[in-house]
Amino acid sequence: MAGFVNNLLILLLLFQNICLGFRSPLSVFKRYKDITTSLSSECLGSDQPVISFGLSDFALDIRMPGVTPKQSDTYLCMSIPLPVDDEAYVVDFKPHASMDTVHHMLLFGCNEPSSAENYWDCDEGTCKDKSNILYAWARNAPPTRLPKGVGFRVGGETGSRYFVLQVHYGDVSAFRDKHKDCSGVTLHLTHQKQPLIAGMYLMMSVNTVIPPGEKVVDADIACHYKRSPMHLFAYRVHTHRLGKVVSGYRVRNGQWTLIGRQSPQLPQAFYPVEYPVDVSYNDILAARCVFTGEGRTTETHIGGTANDEMCNFYIMYYMEAKHAVSYMTCTQNANPEMFRNIPNEANIPIPVKSDVLKTMHGHHEETKDSDTSYLLQQAKKEEAEILDQDFHIEEAVEWPGLDLKLGQVSGLALDPENNLVVFHRGDHLWDENSFDSKFVYQQRGLGPIEQNTILVLNPSNAKLLHSTGKSLFYLPHGLSVDKNGNYWVTDVALHQVFKLGASDKEPLLILGVALQPGSDKNHFCQPTDVAVDPITGSIYVSDGYCNSRIIQFSPNGLYVMQWGEETSLGRARPGQFHIPHSLALISDLSQLCVADRENGRIQCFRLETGEFTKEIKHKAFGRELFAVSYVPGGLLFAVNGMPYPGEAESVQGFVMNFSTGEIIDTFIPLRKSFEMPHDIVASEDRTVFVGDVHAKAVWKFASAEKMEHRSVKKAGIEVQETKESETIVEARLKNKPESTDPLKNTDKHLVQEASSTGVSFVLITTLLIIPVVVLLAILVFIRWRKTTVYGADGEHKLDSSSGRILGRLRGKGSGGINLGNFFASHKGYSRKGFDRLSTEGSDQEKDEDDGTDSEEECSASPLPPAPSSS
């Protein structure tokens, strides 16, 4: 009878959990509604922030929680989380604001608001991470309308998880009655995939200077567009008080097409593009802000205060979902000469009535700017994102590339397909016998390297995809790959720079004279690295071990200019080098950064002029800094050299914030050790490769966050663990292809459609329950035998044993089967990583203090953080 009761209890538990799998779609909002602060009773807004329109659509009401600003030009912010974990799309906006009380509203999307309070002063910022403007409303301005089939993607692995509303209260005289304001916006969201994804393209000048008294000053911005086609449907302009007109254009084959033109002194909302404009690969996006310096007694620079200026042109666009990019920026002027042909309309100010100006700027001379807090941060974020403090790099120990048989690894790069390209020296070595005192190579008798010196590897599994460079080089050094996939390399023995096509056996371009060191326009002396501007095609060479300069050449190899000099005695000054060893080109900021090796620092310069812009130097670098790499979005990676005897600084890798120079993280390998890390390259997903010239090895590193979400497979069962130690077990048949539909990846979404959840849970539970039923049958048989042989004492022992088994299935608390605790009781399982489940039987009891209570099983578990993209 006891065995029957045990089986019945298990079936009841199974039924309970299956029922929990069939959840109402509305239940996903329950936890959200419970934590939402109720609006003030004085507000007319809905007290139900989330309203379902059916299975796929819902509305989200975002309102100020009943505020009363106390002074004019107050900026207040509030945040609200996306009430679902999976991907959704914002398809419409409905504003709730009166021009009598609200000057303007901005809605941002981000992952970490600047404050957790109900609302806060926006001077504290809007978001701690990178934020995107989704919506803007201003008095007398038309509302933003998204075209049909277009939506802003939010949630999921890559979209924003929070909305932040910023409200500017211009004149607070309307609040004399002390009433509370609940202005805001209602969003219409849907889970239905939208064929077209909306995004924002920001054009921003970062270096404009307006001389005092100058009547007309132009600030020009232009970038080549290098992505999939996009369609423009709205624009917004922004300057401070000195701006007269801002205009944006698409330039194609010399023809200028107007996107939008507006006075920045009018309401700064998004205005519809009058005639549809599409932008294709290699078009140019151009913008001009016209300022006046009249009335100023000092120079005015770009900045975030009311006395500074800004020049911004926002473009709202949509793209096909499969190519969608949510946010893009342009902060340079790629072709100043083209602005000679800009239409005359761009230079004609748009008149604004004085009463409109008074309404726009309020009654205070030192009024805050409508975008001060946001754009001051945004200008920095275009150079460097404000990074998550938990960001950490670790070696990818499963990567087999460390075991490759290589020569001295001197250079690394990534090609346009993000494959890893390695430049190594084969059977040649650089040692004390390689050069004489005049830097002439002494081992020519060895001939060129007979092995392929350029290897293209799959970055995931280190599989060789392509190789070239046989019988061409003597002592390889620097490597880069241009946007067309051409290899640019330097050879310190030949004193030359080469351009090689991926499939060409002979060089396409050679700079320098073979085996002849020199310091004029036609010679190099042990050149170390080369970089190619993806926009202009200009070539930059660091030269080198016996010269101390950076040389710029035209795309076809003609000398343009050079800068730099040998380091003088004492502290190295800006522009002085002691072995400029590695180059990192920051095209989005039009800068070139140099690893000044023996001076142990990074120096950065403007591409157009060679003008020094910044130095990054840390004690942790030690005396030598070998290589530097830049990732769009603001990450700078570097590796240093071995410390001198008696010095404490260790050889390691560095991750830095490009804008501030601050070290965010350091990293070292787990397998082997760095000996002389010679080059480093990083991709936008924060995957990092380091090549070591002495260890003859290449390491792969990745963010710890990414590595925490690796899957572990064994015996046809995949186990994936989130940071909250919730375990999802998905049984898959071997050889069955995995679905590529993200909506079907149930291991990534704990909030699911009822049918798929129930089926997957039944499948999992069935696989787990079969051995338990067999075990219980055996125990029933043993109990029967013991009852027959030993009597009541045997029955007592059986009940104890059965209780332990059921206890494991139940977990510590009451409720359904806790699979996390069940697996955690087995040998070989670890909540800290992804250890394989042991296939050996074990009688070991689980530590009662180590389990996860089952009380949270009925609520949706949080998703693992998305690995970040940029």
Side-chain angles (χ1 to χ4, degrees):
M1 185 64 186
F4 175 77
V5 171
N6 287 340
N7 280 280
L8 181 61
L9 179 58
I10 290 173
L11 289 174
L12 287 173
L13 292 171
L14 175 60
F15 179 77
Q16 175 190 355
N17 280 274
I18 292 174
C19 291
L20 288 174
F22 292 88
R23 304 171 62 205
S24 166
L26 292 178
S27 67
V28 299
F29 302 125
K30 183 177 184 300
R31 71 184 190 281
Y32 171 83
K33 185 176 179 181
D34 289 343
I35 62 171
T36 302
T37 303
S38 299
L39 296 177
S40 167
S41 60
E42 296 184 37
C43 296
L44 298 179
S46 170
D47 59 357
Q48 191 176 6
V50 182
I51 303 172
S52 175
F53 295 156
L55 291 177
S56 61
D57 287 28
F58 61 97
L60 179 63
D61 206 30
I62 305 174
R63 303 288 193 102
M64 277 291 161
V67 300
T68 304
K70 294 180 173 55
Q71 61 183 32
S72 295
D73 293 313
T74 294
Y75 289 74
L76 297 180
C77 290
M78 61 83 64
S79 68
I80 195 167
L82 183 67
V84 294
D85 294 321
D86 50 347
E87 197 171 78
Y89 302 85
V90 180
V91 294
D92 197 12
F93 306 88
K94 182 180 179 181
H96 307 286
S98 167
M99 61 184 294
D100 296 328
T101 55
V102 174
H103 180 274
H104 84 263
M105 297 188 300
L106 292 176
L107 183 68
F108 301 88
C110 65
N111 287 320
E112 187 176 5
S114 291
S115 174
E117 300 295 326
N118 285 344
Y119 70 94
W120 65 92
D121 191 317
C122 296
D123 283 348
E124 299 176 23
T126 53
C127 298
K128 293 181 180 179
D129 62 331
K130 187 173 182 178
S131 58
N132 300 335
I133 292 182
L134 302 178
Y135 177 74
W137 177 92
R139 60 177 69 194
N140 298 324
T144 302
R145 296 294 183 192
L146 299 184
K148 186 176 182 180
V150 175
F152 281 95
R153 183 159 49 198
V154 294
E157 293 188 351
T158 58
S160 300
R161 298 182 183 277
Y162 279 86
F163 297 105
V164 177
L165 176 68
Q166 179 196 85
V167 178
H168 173 202
Y169 297 97
D171 185 356
V172 297
S173 59
F175 289 91
R176 290 170 183 166
D177 59 355
K178 306 295 183 181
H179 77 274
K180 298 183 182 298
D181 181 66
C182 295
S183 298
V185 60
T186 298
L187 308 184
H188 180 180
L189 297 99
T190 181
H191 288 291
Q192 293 182 356
K193 284 188 173 294
Q194 299 298 295
L196 304 169
I197 303 300
M200 196 74 64
Y201 192 108
L202 170 60
M203 307 186 72
M204 176 170 61
S205 174
V206 296
N207 53 12
T208 297
V209 178
I210 304 171
E214 192 76 20
K215 187 173 182 179
V216 177
V217 178
D218 296 333
D220 296 333
I221 316 159
C223 285
H224 288 80
Y225 184 71
K226 298 294 184 181
R227 294 187 180 271
S228 299
M230 64 177 178
H231 305 270
L232 317 183
F233 64 91
Y235 71 96
R236 177 176 182 256
V237 304
H238 176 73
T239 72
H240 295 184
R241 292 177 177 274
L242 301 185
K244 296 299 182 183
V245 62
V246 181
S247 308
Y249 297 88
R250 181 203 68 193
V251 185
R252 178 183 293 171
N253 300 324
Q255 297 297 314
W256 294 67
T257 300
L258 180 68
I259 299 170
R261 173 175 173 267
Q262 188 59 278
S263 168
Q265 307 307 324
L266 291 173
Q268 296 182 0
F270 281 97
Y271 293 86
V273 174
E274 187 171 357
Y275 301 103
V277 178
D278 65 279
V279 180
S280 302
Y281 187 89
N282 225 29
D283 284 346
I284 298 176
L285 289 169
R288 167 171 283 182
C289 299
V290 178
F291 297 98
T292 179
E294 294 179 324
R296 293 289 175 95
T297 57
T298 59
E299 286 186 343
T300 305
H301 297 259
I302 296 296
T305 72
N307 290 324
D308 295 321
E309 266 303 334
M310 285 185 173
C311 170
N312 299 330
F313 187 77
Y314 296 86
I315 304 171
M316 198 176 284
Y317 62 85
Y318 62 83
M319 306 172 73
E320 291 185 14
K322 61 183 178 180
H323 302 302
V325 180
S326 63
Y327 192 65
M328 293 181 276
T329 61
C330 172
T331 59
Q332 62 179 357
N333 186 358
N335 189 357
E337 295 298 317
M338 66 179 284
F339 282 91
R340 294 180 179 178
N341 300 316
I342 192 171
N344 289 332
E345 63 186 0
N347 302 306
I348 302 174
I350 295 176
V352 180
K353 295 181 179 180
S354 59
D355 59 334
V356 175
L357 282 175
K358 183 177 180 181
T359 302
M360 283 294 299
H361 296 297
H363 305 289
H364 306 279
E365 180 61 25
E366 294 301 320
T367 181
K368 296 179 182 178
D369 179 79
S370 64
D371 280 348
T372 297
S373 60
Y374 166 65
L375 285 175
L376 179 58
Q377 297 173 53
Q378 190 66 39
K380 294 180 179 179
K381 288 172 187 173
E382 301 318 317
E383 298 178 2
E385 290 184 74
I386 304 302
L387 299 166
D388 190 339
Q389 296 301 311
D390 293 332
F391 175 72
H392 180 56
I393 289 288
E394 292 180 357
E395 183 187 353
V397 294
E398 78 286 353
W399 192 66
L402 194 63
D403 301 322
L404 293 173
K405 303 301 181 183
L406 303 169
Q408 292 182 332
V409 179
S410 63
L412 300 176
L414 296 172
D415 68 12
E417 284 73 43
N418 236 26
N419 295 314
L420 175 65
V421 186
V422 179
F423 196 30
H424 72 116
R425 295 173 183 161
D427 58 3
H428 282 206
L429 300 175
W430 185 353
D431 56 28
E432 65 275 5
N433 300 314
S434 298
F435 295 91
D436 64 12
S437 60
K438 295 182 179 179
F439 308 105
V440 176
Y441 186 57
Q442 299 297 295
Q443 298 171 336
R444 284 173 285 179
L446 297 175
I449 300 168
E450 291 302 318
Q451 297 88 30
N452 282 319
T453 54
I454 299 175
L455 310 178
V456 183
L457 307 176
N458 184 309
S460 299
N461 57 24
K463 180 181 179 181
L464 181 64
L465 303 176
H466 176 65
S467 61
T468 188
K470 180 180 179 180
S471 302
L472 285 176
F473 308 113
Y474 286 79
L475 280 181
H477 199 276
L479 165 72
S480 67
V481 181
D482 65 23
K483 65 179 181 180
N484 298 316
N486 298 307
Y487 307 131
W488 293 80
V489 299
T490 70
D491 189 311
V492 292
L494 291 170
H495 305 285
Q496 288 180 302
V497 176
F498 300 85
K499 175 185 179 182
L500 292 167
S503 57
D504 297 322
K505 294 184 178 180
E506 296 298 324
L508 302 176
L509 178 67
I510 302 176
L511 302 176
V513 181
L515 299 167
Q516 293 185 16
S519 56
D520 58 23
K521 297 179 180 180
N522 301 314
H523 291 80
F524 301 110
C525 191
Q526 296 178 342
T528 54
D529 203 5
V530 57
V532 180
D533 190 331
I535 298 174
T536 66
S538 295
I539 306 161
Y540 298 86
V541 178
S542 51
D543 180 38
Y545 280 92
C546 34
N547 286 327
S548 299
R549 60 180 180 172
I550 306 298
I551 311 175
Q552 179 185 352
F553 296 89
S554 68
N556 57 359
L558 298 178
Y559 175 90
V560 176
M561 67 171 181
Q562 69 180 49
W563 70 86
E565 60 183 27
E566 188 176 349
T567 300
S568 56
L569 295 176
R571 177 177 172 80
R573 298 196 302 269
Q576 294 184 337
F577 299 110
H578 192 179
I579 308 182
H581 194 259
S582 170
L583 299 176
L585 197 145
I586 297 96
S587 60
D588 51 347
L589 296 174
S590 194
Q591 294 191 44
L592 182 74
C593 291
V594 184
D596 187 6
R597 195 180 99 171
E598 299 301 307
N599 284 326
R601 63 179 179 174
I602 299 169
Q603 294 192 75
C604 300
F605 306 87
R606 295 199 183 281
L607 288 174
E608 301 87 352
T609 62
E611 175 190 356
F612 173 83
T613 59
K614 69 163 64 178
E615 173 190 272
I616 301 175
K617 186 177 177 68
H618 294 280
K619 187 176 184 296
F621 288 171
R623 294 196 190 186
E624 297 177 335
L625 191 81
F626 271 72
V628 63
S629 178
Y630 175 78
V631 170
L635 281 177
L636 201 62
F637 296 82
V639 286
N640 65 350
M642 291 294 289
Y644 283 64
E647 295 182 344
E649 291 78 15
S650 59
V651 57
Q652 58 190 324
F654 301 89
V655 186
M656 290 164 283
N657 182 319
F658 175 74
S659 179
T660 65
E662 173 191 6
I663 294 177
I664 299 168
D665 188 30
T666 60
F667 56 94
I668 58 174
L670 302 174
R671 299 176 295 168
K672 296 186 179 181
S673 297
F674 283 150
E675 295 180 30
M676 183 183 283
H678 196 262
D679 201 8
I680 186 170
V681 67
S683 62
E684 291 192 36
D685 68 353
R686 300 175 180 177
T687 299
V688 183
F689 296 93
V690 176
D692 193 304
V693 73
H694 281 181
K696 300 180 181 179
V698 179
W699 283 270
K700 177 180 178 179
F701 299 85
S703 66
E705 179 181 86
K706 178 190 298 184
M707 294 171 66
E708 283 184 18
H709 291 84
R710 293 197 307 267
S711 294
V712 178
K713 294 183 180 179
K714 184 160 186 171
I717 296 178
E718 179 177 289
V719 178
Q720 181 172 340
E721 182 177 80
T722 69
K723 286 186 177 178
E724 290 76 14
S725 297
E726 292 288 330
T727 305
I728 305 163
V729 182
E730 181 176 356
R732 292 198 180 101
L733 295 176
K734 291 182 179 179
N735 303 322
K736 180 179 179 181
E738 188 171 343
S739 172
T740 57
D741 187 350
L743 292 178
K744 297 179 182 178
N745 291 340
T746 57
D747 57 338
K748 294 182 180 179
H749 297 282
L750 296 180
V751 179
Q752 307 170 33
E753 292 294 334
S755 59
S756 63
T757 305
V759 172
S760 64
F761 192 90
V762 170
L763 179 60
I764 294 167
T765 309
T766 301
L767 291 175
L768 293 176
I769 217 69
I770 289 173
V772 177
V773 172
V774 172
L775 180 60
L776 286 172
I778 294 171
L779 289 174
V780 169
F781 177 75
I782 293 173
R783 184 191 66 79
W784 176 77
R785 293 283 297 177
K786 286 186 176 182
T787 302
T788 303
V789 178
Y790 299 108
D793 185 63
E795 184 176 353
H796 174 75
K797 292 180 179 179
L798 174 65
D799 289 342
S800 176
S801 174
S802 300
R804 284 198 301 272
I805 294 170
L806 289 174
R808 281 194 184 180
L809 289 175
R810 294 189 186 111
K812 288 172 65 178
S814 61
I817 296 175
N818 189 321
L819 297 178
N821 286 342
F822 178 74
F823 283 112
S825 68
H826 287 68
K827 180 180 177 181
Y829 177 86
S830 169
R831 293 191 182 276
K832 295 182 179 179
F834 296 90
D835 303 329
R836 294 182 184 272
L837 293 176
S838 173
T839 56
E840 302 175 357
S842 173
D843 292 330
Q844 179 181 353
E845 292 289 330
K846 184 175 74 68
D847 183 354
E848 291 298 315
D849 292 331
D850 188 46
T852 299
D853 292 345
S854 60
E855 61 188 16
E856 294 297 326
E857 289 179 340
C858 294
S859 63
S861 303
L863 285 172
S868 180
S869 50
S870 215

